[in-house]
Amino acid sequence: MAARRALKAVLVDLSGTLHIEDAAVPGSQEALKRLRGTSVIVRFVTNTTKESKQDLLERLRKLEFDISEDEIFTSLTAARSLVEQKQVRPMLLVDDRALPDFKGIQTSDPNAVVVGLAPEHFHYEILNQAFRLLLDGAPLIAIHKARYYKRKDGLALGPGPFVTALEYATDTKATVVGKPERTFFLEALRGTGCEPEEAVMIGDDSRDDVGGAQNAGMLGILVKTGKYRAADEEKINPPPYLTCESFPHAVDHILQHLL
Amino acid sequence: MAAWAERLAGVRGVLLDISGVLYDCDAGGGSAIAGSVEAVARLKQSHLKMRFCTNDSQKSRGELVGLLQQLGFDISEDEVTSPAPATCRILKERGLRPHLLIHERVRSEFDEIDTSNPNCVVIADAAESFSYQNMNKAFQVLMELENPVLISLGKGRYYKETSGLVLDVGAYMKALEYACGIKAEVVGKPSPEFFQAALQAIGVEAHQAVMIGDDIVGDVGGAQRCGMRGLLVRTGKFRPTDEHHPEVKPDGYVDNLAEAVALLLQHANK
């Protein structure tokens, strides 16, 4: 790791890393304060398809985390910045709760399609509309491509199958914007003035958090909270830079060894 | 005259796609494509054998044929190869009890099929019945099976209704494949068994037959892979970009069925 430079930025996953549902991972608020006592820039990065930044922020504040809205970077943010970069007017197949994150974006007379987790939009009529836009050359942007998710009444189809349906029908490929895409991590660093080689990512998902970040040139720290299952660290190659018990341990390691 | 038409020499049998070649469908039924009624009649009076070969799985064969007769076509049910009857044969042979993700209009084709306690999913062009709820139900049935079997009636990407292009069953088939991590079994074009069954019905060998369709991949590409010739019509779902398809090169392009039949009658005997 000859090219590694002094650490300047720490990216932190939210769900499973700082909190599990409505409970904070013990000691995390304290650990975040210790991290903020240093000169590093902190960003919070998460794959979400329904919760707007405001929703996330409210939950974190209830748990007494010291976090501001502009420090949060989500897959919805990434979709929005891609839409702005391409200067397109998207048809938004996203949950109503996610709409605040697209405030101010032109959506009339659409020439792009953005797909999140939105069961209420995944039906014949709407999919035909999206399909016709794509055939006319509109880009397809997927917030992520999850196959399914767990609901109280059992497994339910995620956005991935419907993105795949549109890809097949139009012979195109969606641009996926969430973790573990390389561009997601690079976008999260935009505005921090930091290079990937100067950043570390902390998360509970071996592939999406750690693998994705390391693939983008960062260090990755896997925490054994949230969705972590034994031997998850062996699922990626190269393995995580470090695997540790929880977020506070990760912060201790950073303070002692990376600064 | 197009030089390629000489490739039609030796043709003895013709397979005709229906939607986009004979007519364009819509909510109210459909409308005949100009010249197609007469073209079918000419073909029938000729020495060439012919059969209709469709992937239409939204309506029963009876309803489809009734609709075409109303539009003036000379066609009967026993001249049509369509995927629903072929699927029923497979279900019976393999003792499969399907969960049906299909349109109400084709349900009568499955009247004889046991659908209790399903051990597979059959997906057809369900059109407006492709709701999230119905897709999810099919997904859940597949996820609960130890060996999930998904049978798809065709795998078309899209087709043309009078109002514009609409998604076909193939897109929804791909969605379920992706969600469950499985591969569907396709009954219908472009599967070779399906073309073979149509050819057998008229007693013509593949190398003596031509398929006429509006689907560059499903009709033309599929037929060519079976050793048939394939003509693409510039009606139905045809789009100009089809003429630059990276993989499929039709034996010829025609503006419509009428032109195809005129060329066939002129060159098939040579």
Side-chain angles (χ1 to χ4, degrees):
Chain A
M1 231 164 274
R4 187 141 297 282
R5 295 179 235 166
L7 188 73
K8 286 191 186 162
V10 178
L11 304 186
V12 185
D13 172 50
L14 293 175
S15 175
T17 302
L18 283 190
H19 67 90
I20 290 148
E21 292 181 6
D22 289 325
V25 167
S28 293
Q29 297 98 328
E30 243 311 295
L32 180 59
K33 276 199 192 114
R34 286 204 301 279
L35 194 57
R36 287 199 186 282
T38 72
S39 60
V40 296
I41 294 167
V42 183
R43 288 282 181 275
F44 302 91
V45 294
T46 180
N47 268 359
T48 168
T49 53
K50 347 186 248 226
E51 290 172 298
S52 68
K53 275 192 197 182
Q54 200 53 45
D55 292 340
L56 294 171
L57 200 58
E58 266 166 37
R59 176 197 273 152
L60 292 163
R61 284 192 175 152
K62 257 187 219 155
L63 297 175
E64 297 180 338
F65 282 103
D66 167 26
I67 287 175
S68 70
E69 190 174 339
D70 58 8
E71 292 175 317
I72 300 177
F73 188 82
T74 77
S75 44
L76 290 170
T77 326
R80 183 191 174 115
S81 45
L82 190 57
V83 161
E84 286 174 335
Q85 215 177 304
K86 287 183 182 281
Q87 297 185 304
V88 286
R89 301 174 302 276
M91 172 184 192
L92 292 172
L93 306 188
V94 301
D95 191 279
D96 282 351
R97 277 172 292 171
L99 289 177
D101 281 357
F102 292 93
K103 213 174 145 205
I105 296 280
Q106 273 278 7
T107 54
S108 58
D109 184 23
N111 60 0
V113 177
V114 172
V115 185
L117 176 60
E120 67 278 17
H121 294 310
F122 295 150
H123 59 81
Y124 189 64
E125 197 184 321
I126 295 278
L127 290 171
N128 274 340
Q129 285 176 28
F131 159 70
R132 289 176 187 180
L133 290 176
L134 298 176
L135 266 193
D136 287 340
L140 176 61
I141 298 168
I143 288 165
H144 65 69
K145 277 187 81 176
R147 292 175 150 79
Y148 49 84
Y149 67 107
K150 206 164 160 127
R151 277 198 318 208
K152 284 188 190 110
D153 61 345
L155 296 180
L157 292 166
F162 298 96
V163 170
T164 306
L166 292 170
E167 287 180 333
Y168 173 73
T170 56
D171 217 355
T172 52
K173 276 276 163 220
T175 304
V176 184
V177 296
K179 292 184 283 188
E181 298 298 316
R182 196 167 167 271
T183 46
F184 177 86
F185 293 98
L186 300 183
E187 276 290 307
L189 281 186
R190 216 157 62 130
T192 66
C194 303
E195 297 298 319
E197 291 75 21
E198 300 165 324
V200 61
M201 164 81 206
I202 307 170
D204 66 325
D205 190 309
S206 183
R207 283 199 186 94
D208 286 359
D209 293 327
V210 178
Q214 296 196 148
N215 190 36
M218 305 177 182
L219 293 179
I221 299 179
L222 181 65
V223 290
K224 296 183 175 179
T225 52
K227 70 169 68 163
Y228 175 84
R229 294 287 169 274
D232 271 0
E233 56 269 41
E234 290 162 23
K235 284 185 183 163
I236 54 167
N237 187 21
Y241 158 72
L242 177 74
T243 302
C244 62
E245 284 312 307
S246 66
F247 178 69
H249 291 87
V251 169
D252 288 343
H253 176 91
I254 290 170
L255 297 181
Q256 286 166 25
H257 299 284
L258 294 178
L259 291 178
Chain B
M1 188 222 56
W4 61 263
E6 285 162 18
R7 292 202 204 169
L8 296 174
V11 165
R12 286 187 52 232
V14 183
L15 298 186
L16 289 186
D17 179 31
I18 293 181
S19 176
V21 175
L22 268 50
Y23 85 124
D24 284 322
C25 53
D26 61 36
S31 48
I33 290 167
S36 288
V37 170
E38 299 75 17
V40 169
R42 280 187 79 190
L43 208 49
K44 284 203 159 180
Q45 283 159 13
S46 77
H47 63 286
L48 294 172
K49 300 202 170 165
M50 65 159 297
R51 187 160 182 90
F52 302 96
C53 187
T54 179
N55 267 8
D56 190 326
S57 63
Q58 195 185 117
K59 26 194 176 307
S60 68
R61 238 184 338 177
E63 189 185 340
L64 176 63
V65 165
L67 172 64
L68 291 166
Q69 286 170 345
Q70 265 179 27
L71 295 176
F73 287 98
D74 177 5
I75 181 173
S76 64
E77 267 191 68
D78 57 12
E79 293 174 305
V80 179
T81 297
S82 73
T87 302
C88 289
R89 278 197 299 280
I90 290 170
L91 293 171
K92 283 180 188 160
E93 274 166 26
R94 290 165 51 183
L96 290 170
R97 300 178 306 277
H99 168 80
L100 297 170
L101 177 47
I102 61 175
H103 202 279
E104 276 314 307
R105 292 158 73 186
V106 77
R107 200 165 286 275
S108 63
E109 298 261 26
F110 296 90
D111 277 350
E112 312 275 287
I113 299 291
D114 178 9
T115 55
S116 63
N117 188 24
N119 57 6
C120 76
V121 168
V122 166
I123 183 172
D125 176 17
E128 62 276 10
S129 296
F130 280 129
S131 62
Y132 182 78
Q133 205 186 350
N134 287 344
M135 283 290 286
N136 220 26
K137 179 70 200 154
F139 162 70
Q140 287 171 342
V141 169
L142 287 168
M143 289 298 272
E144 274 165 28
L145 295 174
E146 203 176 315
N147 292 308
V149 174
L150 174 62
I151 296 178
S152 184
L153 278 65
K155 60 168 185 177
R157 292 170 146 82
Y158 54 86
Y159 60 91
K160 190 185 176 207
E161 290 202 340
T162 314
S163 62
L165 298 176
V166 293
L167 289 169
D168 197 358
V169 59
Y172 293 91
M173 173 198 88
K174 284 286 169 190
L176 290 177
E177 283 187 343
Y178 178 81
C180 305
I182 58 172
K183 264 285 185 209
E185 300 173 30
V186 179
V187 180
K189 297 177 285 187
S191 102
E193 296 85 359
F194 195 72
F195 285 116
Q196 285 303 339
L199 289 173
Q200 250 167 36
I202 51 172
V204 171
E205 302 276 328
H207 71 275
Q208 302 169 316
V210 62
M211 170 82 213
I212 303 172
D214 67 334
D215 189 318
I216 179 84
V217 175
D219 292 326
V220 176
Q224 288 177 333
R225 269 208 313 280
C226 288
M228 300 166 61
R229 281 159 266 192
L231 299 187
L232 189 71
V233 291
R234 296 189 181 100
T235 55
K237 76 176 87 172
F238 170 82
R239 306 173 82 229
T241 52
D242 292 344
E243 299 202 23
H244 312 287
H245 196 277
E247 279 138 46
V248 183
K249 192 107 196 77
D251 291 278
Y253 300 93
V254 285
D255 285 341
N256 48 41
L257 180 62
E259 188 189 357
V261 169
L263 289 170
L264 266 170
L265 295 182
Q266 205 182 332
H267 293 276
N269 261 343
K270 289 179 184 166

